[in-house]
Amino acid sequence: MSKIKYHPDTMTLIEFSAGVLPPAVAICVAAHVHYCDQCRNELLRLDQVASQLMKSSGSTEISVDLFKRVEEAIDKIPEDTFNETFSPAEGNFPPIVSKLMQGNLQSQSWKKMSSSVEKATLKTGQSEYEVALHKICAGGKTPKHGHGGKEYTVVLKGSFSDEMSVYSEGDFLLREDGEEHQPTGAQNGECICLSALQAPIKLSNPFGFLMKPWLRINPI
Amino acid sequence: MFQSKFKSKKNEPMSNKPLRSEKRSDKWTLLLVAVGESRDRKAFAELFDHFAPLLKSFAQASKHEGWFPGLSEDLVQEVMIKVWQKAGGFNPEKASATTWIYTVARNCRIDMLRRKSNTQHLPLENEDFWHEPDEDTPVSLLRQARSEVKVQASLLDLPKEQDEILRKVYLEGKSHAEVSNELGLPLGTVKSRVRLALQKMQVLVAPEYRDELV
């Protein structure tokens, strides 16, 4: 049975099911769903609703030659591309994260954020959010910090804690703009998280040049 | 076994047909399994016959920025090619053909919009987002998934304002914030109508049930 304690809220699952979430947030939800039976099933029910809405909205006549075009296209697909599987980049990492990593943990370009935290930005082809992996070393403390926008986090490996709770594999967290936190890695091993950090609309801090690396984000 | 009605039907005008019964919807699931297991072209033609016109309506309902009606058949084509390609991974115990094909269509629509709007291409495809329930998913949870007929019946019972919002989110592809802007309703009202609709349809797991799982 699932030990996951923190889930996306229902509205987020609904927007995921409808396909209207920003891609970076959808990546985080998909990563959580990889670990979470409960949300996976909630999504199945939401997708059922969506499919019935689709069905009840009627039929539209299609072009006479459309089936022929589809048949021509499928004749060109090589058989061996059916049912491709993707092996996890690391441990029980979600396929979506493994795909974005395009390699293993070692092959990512890690940048030091502080003595105990490293960050590797993932290329996602959108600029609303910076999507990255964060690595907190065992027992590592991060300085107390906030961000200039929403921050979504999914724990991929190990666990970390903050002032409020302990977060383990599969847990999904949302910190709103301006909420401060101080994550600390668990003593028994390093913690790897997926995060999506919203690009701030504007920075009002006149001492921007002194900004901590936490506020400098670089969506790619 | 599977008689394709494709040839006789394709020239007939399509109209809003009455909702199908459970047995009929079962049929599509069997056809999809046949496509996955034995690359059955006749079964595929029947699926195409049934789903292509529905998918076209779905495509035309889209109100996404950058979407135009001319893309509708491109979407139908792309979805049906994916259906052929991915049918081997379809598991009828977990989802019906209608639900599975909806998810393919939703994801194809997102992919097409991204390809149109971005110079950069998100290095992900539709199936990267779609998760089927795993083998180890507790049966008690799967039982919670309601039969399509019940979902369909409860949709018909929804008050108009709740039905309208669900359609805007799922068919037109609008976020709650966009629906709130369009209808001039507070975001909280939009969210609570969506929640009420899904609670009424008994789609959302009751909070007390969720707690049992922790």
Side-chain angles (χ1 to χ4, degrees):
Chain A
M1 190 63 57
S2 164
K3 284 186 195 118
I4 295 168
K5 285 184 293 185
Y6 297 93
H7 307 267
D9 67 9
T10 302
M11 290 302 135
T12 306
L13 287 181
I14 291 166
E15 292 193 316
F16 180 80
S17 154
V20 297
L21 280 181
V25 181
I27 289 166
C28 292
V29 174
H32 167 78
V33 166
H34 168 73
Y35 299 104
C36 182
D37 292 339
Q38 197 182 319
C39 288
R40 197 156 46 226
N41 281 281
E42 189 138 340
L43 276 174
L44 180 60
R45 285 188 296 274
L46 293 169
D47 288 340
Q48 274 184 326
V49 172
S51 69
Q52 294 309 311
L53 282 166
M54 176 177 88
K55 213 165 146 185
S56 69
S57 66
S59 306
T60 304
E61 192 176 0
I62 49 165
S63 305
V64 181
D65 66 338
L66 190 61
F67 185 68
K68 216 175 126 231
R69 277 187 271 151
V70 168
E71 275 199 308
E72 279 166 10
I74 63 181
D75 284 340
K76 289 182 195 142
I77 305 170
E79 277 289 332
D80 58 7
T81 61
F82 295 145
N83 310 319
E84 280 176 294
T85 52
F86 210 83
S87 52
E90 176 82 20
N92 184 24
F93 273 29
I96 195 165
V97 176
S98 304
K99 192 163 181 181
L100 289 170
M101 286 169 69
Q102 296 181 332
N104 55 25
L105 278 176
Q106 287 72 40
S107 70
Q108 308 301 306
S109 50
W110 294 98
K111 287 197 179 87
K112 254 197 157 23
M113 305 281 289
S114 71
S115 59
S116 52
V117 180
E118 288 178 78
K119 177 173 95 169
T121 310
L122 300 174
K123 193 173 188 303
T124 52
Q126 50 82 49
S127 52
E128 270 178 285
Y129 285 80
E130 177 192 75
V131 180
L133 297 174
H134 279 93
K135 183 158 70 181
I136 313 174
C137 69
K141 273 196 169 62
T142 62
K144 198 175 178 100
H145 67 278
H147 300 283
K150 286 180 179 178
E151 180 191 38
Y152 294 88
T153 304
V154 181
V155 182
L156 304 177
K157 183 184 168 189
S159 61
F160 77 90
S161 58
D162 66 9
E163 298 84 340
M164 284 177 280
S165 189
V166 180
Y167 311 97
S168 311
E169 192 180 278
D171 276 331
F172 179 101
L173 286 89
L174 166 61
R175 294 270 173 264
E176 293 289 348
D177 183 2
E179 272 184 70
E180 289 204 331
H181 62 148
Q182 187 172 20
T184 302
Q187 294 296 339
N188 58 2
E190 68 177 12
C191 175
I192 312 255
C193 295
L194 171 73
S195 70
L197 195 49
Q198 194 176 28
I201 293 162
K202 79 172 188 222
L203 288 172
S204 53
N205 184 348
F207 300 104
F209 61 94
L210 289 175
M211 264 181 344
K212 296 270 187 283
W214 310 104
L215 279 171
R216 283 200 299 265
I217 72 160
N218 179 32
I220 52 174
Chain B
M1 175 181 178
F2 302 113
Q3 283 190 327
S4 174
K5 287 174 282 174
F6 181 70
K7 282 190 177 130
S8 59
K9 209 170 150 190
K10 66 183 175 187
N11 292 324
E12 283 171 22
M14 294 290 175
S15 59
N16 287 355
K17 289 186 175 157
L19 300 173
R20 295 184 186 267
S21 68
E22 190 166 27
K23 271 184 189 161
R24 295 293 294 274
S25 73
D26 228 19
K27 171 186 163 185
W28 312 119
T29 301
L30 292 174
L31 289 169
L32 185 54
V33 170
V35 171
E37 283 176 358
S38 51
R39 319 308 297 158
D40 184 330
R41 285 281 180 126
K42 270 190 169 172
F44 182 69
E46 269 201 85
L47 284 174
F48 185 92
D49 248 9
H50 174 67
F51 283 103
L54 292 174
L55 289 166
K56 190 169 175 183
S57 290
F58 172 73
Q60 287 179 337
S62 173
K63 296 278 160 51
H64 291 86
E65 209 184 310
W67 188 269
F68 57 94
L71 291 176
S72 298
E73 290 206 345
D74 292 351
L75 180 75
V76 176
Q77 190 171 347
E78 202 161 304
V79 173
M80 292 312 296
I81 292 167
K82 285 274 182 210
V83 166
W84 175 262
Q85 217 172 348
K86 301 289 169 189
F90 167 68
N91 183 343
E93 285 171 31
K94 307 292 165 65
S96 73
T98 307
T99 301
W100 189 79
I101 290 174
Y102 161 76
T103 64
V104 175
R106 167 196 66 198
N107 294 328
C108 280
R109 185 166 77 175
I110 302 168
D111 280 352
M112 283 180 73
L113 281 161
R114 268 190 212 128
R115 285 201 300 270
K116 290 210 86 62
S117 65
N118 289 353
T119 43
Q120 286 178 303
H121 180 39
L122 190 77
L124 295 171
E125 283 179 85
N126 50 30
E127 61 267 26
D128 297 321
F129 290 95
W130 163 240
H131 294 259
E132 271 195 45
D134 286 338
E135 295 309 317
D136 57 358
T137 300
V139 179
S140 59
L141 279 173
L142 286 171
R143 283 207 195 104
Q144 290 288 305
R146 311 192 69 212
S147 82
E148 284 187 2
V149 173
K150 282 184 187 161
V151 173
Q152 213 167 50
S154 54
L155 257 183
L156 296 172
D157 282 345
L158 286 183
K160 197 170 165 289
E161 80 258 13
Q162 289 171 14
D163 182 81
E164 183 191 22
I165 286 181
L166 280 187
R167 280 172 199 279
K168 284 195 183 297
V169 172
Y170 278 106
L171 301 179
E172 297 181 13
K174 288 181 176 147
S175 67
H176 294 140
E178 287 167 330
V179 174
S180 144
N181 277 339
E182 186 194 327
L183 300 180
L185 291 168
L187 186 58
T189 307
V190 170
K191 287 186 175 183
S192 73
R193 281 188 192 171
V194 171
R195 187 184 291 276
L196 279 172
L198 295 170
Q199 272 168 358
K200 199 166 170 165
M201 295 170 76
Q202 295 174 31
V203 168
L204 295 182
V205 183
E208 59 272 22
Y209 185 71
R210 288 205 109 180
D211 290 345
E212 270 176 35
L213 294 163
V214 175

